[in-house]
Amino acid sequence: MAEEKFVPKKKTYVEDIERTLYDIKDEDHSVYKTQSGLTEDIIRDISKRKNDPQWMLDFRLKSLAVYNSLALPTWGPDLSELNMDDIVTYVQPDAKMTGNWQDVPTDIKNTFDRLGIPEAEQKQSLAGVGAQYDSEVVYHSIQDDLVKQGVIYTDMETAIREHEDVVKEYFMTLVPPKDHKFAALHGAVWSGGSFVYVPEGVHVEIPLQSYFRLNAAGAGQFEHTLIIVEKNASLHFIEGCSAPKYNVTNLHAGCVELFVKEGARLRYSTIENWSRNMMNLNTKRALVEKDGIIEWVSGSFGSHVSCLYPCSILHGENARCEFTGVTFASKGQNLDTGASVIHAAPHTSANINTRTISKAGGMATYRSAVKVTRRAPFAKCSVNCESLMLDSESRSDTLPVMDIEGDEADIGHEAKIGRISDEAIFYLTSRGIDEDEARAMIVRGFVEPIAKELPLEYAVEMNNLVNIELEGTMG
């Protein structure tokens, strides 16, 4: 009898995120860069080049002092690889801000063309577009009918010049520099970003979108986004981020401040697809007044290290928060993501729903913080986080924190960490579905609750990014 040849069983394979499109580098045509590092002279140089008013220069310098006084966080991912002495905090591209796409320099325009930004605007699927390249916004536009209704959508530098009183009233009041070391860093060196103001009762039916592209190696991007949605108004804002891969550390420490007034509604959708040399230390926070609604839709795919926990402060009675997020961590990635909610008024409610996938030794951590103050009787919060590990090398952690000061709250937390179920595979194959396709269906289904919340173009992008290919069995 002939000896049977041993054929090892194939393991399930999930292809890494396809980054070819995002890793195309442009030749560096910047017209100016600060020296690397972080000094008072560098802060004054940035402020002078941006023609800041005196109060902004003072704010930057105070933020620098706070930065120097604070230590790195002692929890979360290891940030010791980050050396600010090696980071260039301001890179000025060879482009002036314009509202005409044809006036954007060819190399920069080609980058955004590849990413599909102008195409989406031309198809009328976006009511306004902002495009930032390195440290400056190079293109900004908004539909005329929104301008007639009083909607303001522009870059932050223009907003300071033309709407200084409003910017001064709100700027870094939700995320003060003393909040943490990287909030202070942002306050010192911020550049670019978007300002949005939606007047009372105005409903922006088509989304606005800003896209942030960091092309320079060894640099940081520190855009500031400030959005104010007045009483009974509504807006959907989309944020996209990407960068090509280099062999040196890049840094992203942006800041997002969202003000949702009484009866207003804001959806903030993000796909962050930074490169594997990026430290993504972003801070996002929303203040929601009576009967207001904040909806977060978040996809975290790129970066070497991420610390990202959008926070919703439910400040008014019946204020609501909905958070939907997905994280995909592969080899060399430590993605520490999650959400936090502060219930600070009666009858406030929040739903947090997340999915994380880890493979090839990637680390995915879900971290949540729910606080119910004594001023928030009858608060409700439901937290659901599910994690899928695709091999024995990867890691997934769930770290929820619940701080409940009152006894009239309804709070629930559910976490699941596991692998693809053999029973589910058996069920699908018994219905005539190929085993490989059965596994692909399960993983697609796992992220489907997130994908369906994304705008169409971003849902397609997410599916392309994950690009699931499965074969064989779990090992």
Side-chain angles (χ1 to χ4, degrees), residues 24 38 41 87 338 347:
I24 298 175
L38 196 61
D41 286 344
I87 298 293
H347 300 284

Side-chain angles (χ1 to χ4, degrees), residues 229-233 260-265 287-293 313-320 344-348:
V229 185
E230 292 284 7
K231 184 177 179 180
N232 297 325
V260 183
K261 301 301 180 71
E262 182 178 339
R265 184 176 194 137
L287 182 69
V288 189
E289 301 294 351
K290 180 181 178 182
D291 297 321
I293 301 172
I313 304 170
L314 305 181
H315 188 253
E317 188 172 1
N318 293 315
R320 283 172 43 200
H347 300 284
T348 48

Side-chain angles (χ1 to χ4, degrees), residues 405-461:
E405 295 182 350
D407 55 6
E408 296 176 302
D410 182 358
I411 309 297
H413 178 271
E414 181 180 358
K416 298 178 182 177
I417 298 179
R419 65 177 200 172
I420 296 175
S421 162
D422 291 335
E423 290 80 6
I425 295 296
F426 176 77
Y427 175 82
L428 291 171
T429 54
S430 70
R431 296 301 187 271
I433 297 173
D434 175 82
E435 184 174 340
D436 293 347
E437 177 57 24
R439 295 181 185 281
M441 288 174 62
I442 291 170
V443 180
R444 290 191 199 106
F446 182 73
V447 299
E448 189 268 341
I450 315 302
K452 73 179 183 181
E453 296 297 330
L454 290 169
L456 178 60
E457 292 81 3
Y458 277 75
V460 171
E461 179 181 3

Side-chain angles (χ1 to χ4, degrees), residues 8-21:
K9 210 185 257 189
K10 290 182 179 179
K11 294 183 178 181
T12 298
Y13 176 70
V14 179
E15 190 172 87
D16 262 353
I17 289 169
E18 171 54 52
R19 286 198 47 86
T20 305
L21 177 69

